[in-house]
Every structure is written in structure tokens, then in C-alpha cells.
Amino acid sequence: MRVLSVASEIFPLIKTGGLADVVGALPAAVAPLGIEMRCLVPGYPAVMRAIGDAEILHRDADFFGGEMRILAARAHGIDVFVLDVPHLYERPGSPYSAADGKDWADNAQRFAALALAGARIGRGLLPGFVPDIVHAHDWQAGLVPAYLHYDEASSSGPRSVFTVHNLAFQGQFDKALLAEIGLPPRAFAIDGVEYYGTIGYLKAALQLADRVTTVSPTYALEIRTSEAGMGLEGLLRARGDAVSGILNGIDTQVWNPATDELITARYDARQLVARMRNKSALQQRMDLTVDPRIPLFGVVSRLSWQKGLDLLAEALPTLAGIGQLALLGAGDKLLEEKYTAAAQTHAGRIGCVLGYDEEVAHMIQAGADVLLVPSRFEPCGLTQLCALRYGAVPLVARVGGLNDTVIDASEMALNSGVATGIAFAPVTTPMLEAALSRAAMLYEDRASWMRLQLNGMRTDVSWEQPAKRYAALYRELAASRS
Ligand code: ADP
């Protein structure tokens, strides 16, 4: 069984969020189940630097107005196909925007190109790798099912799976671009790529993929409602059973407190005391008062409205009264300023590192007592999975994948010994404050707290179960191929 995955990010080559982690981890996770998965990614500068020597599998002198090559390469232990189109991808800045934060003006073409190349590989462009399934991720690869659907050259072809990692990013573009991106006029229809008068890349995928998955069962339900469907709830409801949720896992080799080179003291469930050294190392790194008794809350996150970090900013006086905060994050400038100011107002109690930093992310997971994820919505969330594995008790909003992965320390769950964290709803500042106080109270009872930590560390957060679900989906679809 062969699967081509098509995505704009793959860890560790290029990453702006959890999408990259998932795309990077899936090939190795499904390999033991007899599935050969290769990923097609754009040749961003970071990707081209990472791959070094590559084999040229295909060339086209005029692809979206410039030269294109498809390369096969191996980098960091992952086999990838790289779509090398310098006039589209060889530029500084992020994959989606220039240094000034504005989206690249030709994003419609850049990601149509990615999807078209993916669809062509799906149709057999590379004789050495003809996939049974094409698995596209997020709006950047959203046109893959559309190109497959409107290609009349052959009726048989691969089946398509589309995974939504975040419904908030939809990729909407001017309908005047339809011909330029190579779609026929009939594609611009309500049962095609048309979306409120524009071309919707995400909408196209939700409409035309054989199967749609999202990254947790709860999010798969939530997005069928107007509260979380972001305008796509009607379509998602109409797709019925074709839409399902499969939880993400994390790479348990990268995230392993027993072998982690980025933390001060390695530990496991049998010697949890060693964890205390990581707490004092984190307190030092964040300019916090070094004291093992103060409950230490951690955050590793994009700073954005989705993540509810404006609510946490409002709750800082309460938090500083009961514990400490170690925050790592980047994004919204206003939030960055708020946390920087709070670190000055509450010196010794609140610390922050602004930016993207793998080492500090590991230090927080290994040293914080509690990991906060107060998201307004969360398709899956990965940081709470890392927290479970590292014995940092997750305190989460009861939404999306957070709801599926953390068992709240209710009286009943505590008594039956299954609790792994603290969950709160609705997602408001007062409820967050109440949850912070509840965490601080639980922390006082050392024996129960350790029970929470150990339950979390025993939770299976690996890719083993999710990989089985993806494999079952691929096999079921492949069996239905015409
Ligand atoms: P999202 O994809 O919405 O940003 P997820 O929780 O699914 O959120 O994935 C976020 C990933 O990015 C996790 O692996 C997390 O550790 C990492 N991450 C987020 N912010 C930072 C940061 N500032 N520094 C290092 N890693 C970060």
C-alpha cells in the first residue's frame, strides 16, 4: 500500500505549527503496518538546505510560469518528494507571508501548484511511486481532491483523504484565478470549489475528498455546529460519515523525559524526584524565585486569540497570587507586550521567553508542575500530550482534542484513580481563574498530585493507536477503488 501525503510543512524540515509534527511523524508510524508513505512538500529555502543531495525525478519548463523539478531526497531520516519551483518558493520570510507579516500575493498560485503536483503524482507521474491514496493536509493542499476530481484524462485514480488540522485557515481566493490555476469553469459551483463567491481551497477539499478527517473526535463533532464550523458546518454535516476524527500522537522518541538531552535531569515515572531539578532550572531560566514549593504553571504556545492567552493575561494577578508562570510563545504583538509587562510587574512570579525555542519548550514540559492550554478551540493540541508524558499536569479548556486527551480530576475520577489533569468550561477568565485555584489546591496534597502525574505519564500518547486508525481508513478506501 502506497500513500502520498501532500502538505506545506513537515517536521523537522519546516514547521510553523502542529501540522508539521503530524506530517513528519505519520510515515514512520504507519510503516510497520505495511504502508509506504511519502510526503510532497514545497522547496522552501529551509527544505532545500536540509535535503542536500537529491535525485531529480521530473522536470517541467513551464509550471505556473516558471521551471519546476520534483526531487526525491532523504533528510533527518525522512524520505520526501520536494517540489522545487524557485519562482514560487525560494524567498525569505515564512512559508505564507513576507517579513512584514503580509501574505504572499501569489499564495493562490503557490498552493495550487503544490496541489496540482500532488494530484499528478497521484495519477502516476512518477513511475517509481504510484500511490493508492493521496492524503492532503490543510488548505494549502486543499485543491488536491479538486484536481483529481476534475481530471477527465482517466476515470480511475487514487482515492483521496483530506485532514483538517485547523478550520480557521481556509485559503480563499479570487474567482478570476480559476483558469490560471487550471480548473475548468464547471468547477466553480456549489458542489465544487465555489465558496461564498470565491475559490475556497479548504472548502474544495471538504467537498471533494473521498474522506475527510480531523485531528480529534470531539473537534469532528464541534465543526458540525455553527459555533465551531466557521461557515463550513453545513457542508460538514452534509458529508455525514465521510467525516471522522482521529487523534494525533506525539513522537515519543523526541519527547522522552528519560533520554531528553535538552533538560537538566532525566527522569521517568519511577524516579519522579529527579524532576525537581528541572523545576529549579526552569525557575532560573525564567528569572523566577527558585523555590520548589511554589506551584509553577507553564505555557508553550502560539500567542493568539485561539489559544485563549488573552484570558490568561487577564488572570495573571490571580495566578501570581497562587503560583508562578513560565511562558514560552510568539505571535500576537499585543500579547507579547502584555506578558513582557507582567514579568516586570510580578518580578519573580511571572517569566516569559518570546520566540520559538525547542530547548525552552522541553525545559517547560520537564520543569512545570502544570501546563496551561486555555484554548477557545483546539482541533487536537500537542502540548498537553507532551505534558502528560513529562509529568506536567495539563490544565486545559474542555474543547476539541483537549477534551479527548485529558481526564478531569473530578471527585469521581480521583476516587477511581483515572484523573490525569484539570479541565474547565466555558472558556472564560473567571472559569480559568477557578481552575488555577483548583490546581493549586490539588497541588497541596502531594500524594494525590503524584497520582495525577503518574496517571498522565502512563497515558499512551504515541502514534501507535492513531496509526492503526489511519491504516484502517486507507485500506478501506483502497478496497473501494474502481
Ligand atoms: P498549533 O499547531 O495550533 O500551534 P499544537 O499544540 O497542535 O498547536 O502544536 C504546537 C506545536 O508547536 C507543539 O509541538 C509545540 O511544542 C510547538 N510550539 C508552539 N509554540 C512554540 C514555541 N514558542 N517554541 C517552541 N515550540 C513551540
Side-chain angles (χ1 to χ4, degrees):
M1 164 90 65
R2 281 185 164 155
V3 179
L4 175 73
S5 87
V6 184
S8 169
E9 301 181 22
I10 185 166
F11 181 82
L13 278 61
I14 177 87
K15 166 168 166 173
T16 71
L19 162 71
D21 293 310
V22 176
V23 173
L26 258 186
V30 296
L33 304 170
I35 291 165
E36 186 188 352
M37 178 182 278
R38 287 282 190 96
C39 184
L40 175 72
V41 286
Y44 301 123
V47 173
M48 298 308 285
R49 276 196 303 275
I51 61 172
D53 280 347
E55 186 189 348
I56 302 168
L57 299 181
H58 181 80
R59 281 176 190 276
D60 190 333
D62 181 15
F63 189 69
F64 286 80
E67 216 178 308
M68 132 336 185
R69 301 184 309 168
I70 296 176
L71 312 173
R74 190 170 172 80
H76 302 287
I78 306 176
D79 289 308
V80 285
F81 293 133
V82 176
L83 181 61
D84 179 27
V85 191
H87 76 287
L88 296 181
Y89 306 128
E90 194 189 299
R91 44 182 91 166
S94 97
Y96 315 115
S97 52
D100 62 7
K102 288 211 181 80
D103 283 357
W104 297 111
D106 57 351
N107 273 350
Q109 291 86 342
R110 296 172 74 231
F111 296 108
L114 175 66
L116 183 59
R120 287 191 182 159
I121 297 173
R123 290 282 191 195
L125 181 72
L126 308 177
F129 190 90
V130 181
D132 305 279
I133 306 281
V134 182
H135 185 167
H137 297 267
D138 271 356
W139 75 266
Q140 301 91 345
L143 289 186
V144 170
Y147 286 121
L148 289 172
H149 183 81
Y150 294 107
D151 176 1
E152 279 151 5
S154 92
S155 57
S156 72
R159 292 294 178 148
S160 59
V161 176
F162 179 75
T163 296
V164 192
H165 297 264
N166 195 333
L167 209 60
F169 305 107
Q170 303 192 344
Q172 275 180 264
F173 301 102
D174 193 335
K175 65 179 184 202
L177 293 168
L178 195 72
E180 186 183 338
I181 61 173
L183 286 169
R186 69 190 170 89
F188 195 73
I190 186 124
D191 60 354
V193 306
E194 190 274 337
Y195 184 50
Y196 294 111
T198 68
I199 306 172
Y201 285 23
L202 181 74
K203 187 268 175 167
L206 300 181
Q207 180 82 51
L208 298 168
D210 292 314
R211 292 290 285 271
V212 173
T213 71
T214 186
V215 287
S216 70
T218 296
Y219 193 59
L221 292 176
E222 288 171 346
I223 58 178
R224 290 172 162 98
T225 67
S226 55
E227 289 76 36
M230 307 216 169
L232 290 158
E233 59 274 12
L235 171 54
L236 287 159
R237 279 199 300 269
R239 293 293 322 257
D241 290 347
V243 181
S244 61
I246 300 178
L247 268 180
N248 286 334
I250 54 169
D251 186 328
T252 48
Q253 313 253 307
V254 173
W255 294 101
N256 181 355
T259 57
D260 194 332
E261 295 290 334
L262 297 175
I263 62 179
T264 304
R266 277 149 286 285
Y267 61 96
D268 61 23
R270 279 162 308 170
Q271 349 131 18
L272 215 47
V273 278
R275 205 176 178 277
M276 291 312 283
R277 289 179 51 210
N278 296 314
K279 179 167 177 177
S280 42
L282 179 61
Q283 285 171 324
Q284 271 166 25
R285 176 72 178 79
M286 291 276 172
D287 287 331
L288 300 170
T289 308
V290 178
D291 183 339
R293 293 162 307 175
I294 306 174
L296 174 53
F297 297 88
V299 170
V300 179
S301 183
R302 286 187 291 121
L303 299 182
S304 73
W305 183 86
Q306 174 197 338
K307 301 291 180 181
L309 293 175
D310 51 327
L311 305 177
L312 181 64
E314 285 171 14
L316 287 180
T318 303
L319 191 154
I322 55 179
Q324 293 175 322
L325 176 69
L327 175 136
L328 168 67
D332 188 302
K333 296 288 166 241
L334 200 66
L335 283 175
E336 291 188 355
E337 283 164 19
K338 275 193 180 163
Y339 283 103
T340 307
Q344 280 164 3
T345 313
H346 304 281
R349 282 281 174 167
I350 291 180
C352 64
V353 169
L354 300 180
Y356 185 90
D357 192 318
E358 291 282 340
E359 184 179 353
V360 176
H362 283 246
M363 287 178 73
I364 291 177
Q365 297 289 6
D369 297 303
V370 180
L371 187 94
L372 300 176
V373 196
S375 305
R376 288 191 168 88
F377 69 94
E378 194 59 79
C380 178
L382 297 175
T383 55
Q384 84 281 12
L385 300 180
C386 302
L388 288 169
R389 183 143 168 89
Y390 275 64
V393 172
L395 186 164
V396 303
R398 201 191 299 262
V399 296
L402 300 172
N403 180 51
D404 292 328
T405 52
V406 175
I407 302 173
D408 178 62
S410 65
E411 193 89 16
M412 190 77 96
L414 283 172
N415 290 343
S416 33
V418 295
T420 58
I422 293 148
F424 71 96
V427 191
T428 60
T429 304
M431 294 312 276
L432 171 59
E433 286 172 332
L436 292 169
S437 302
R438 189 148 71 92
M441 267 165 58
L442 280 165
Y443 183 75
E444 294 294 307
D445 178 354
R446 302 306 301 153
S448 314
W449 189 260
M450 202 197 267
R451 199 76 181 273
L452 276 181
Q453 290 179 292
L454 294 176
N455 285 347
M457 293 175 87
R458 270 198 297 271
T459 304
D460 182 5
V461 292
S462 78
W463 273 101
E464 199 175 321
Q465 295 308 322
K468 283 185 191 157
R469 293 192 188 272
Y470 279 112
L473 176 68
Y474 298 149
R475 289 193 201 291
E476 185 196 322
L477 264 181
S480 70
R481 254 173 109 184
S482 50

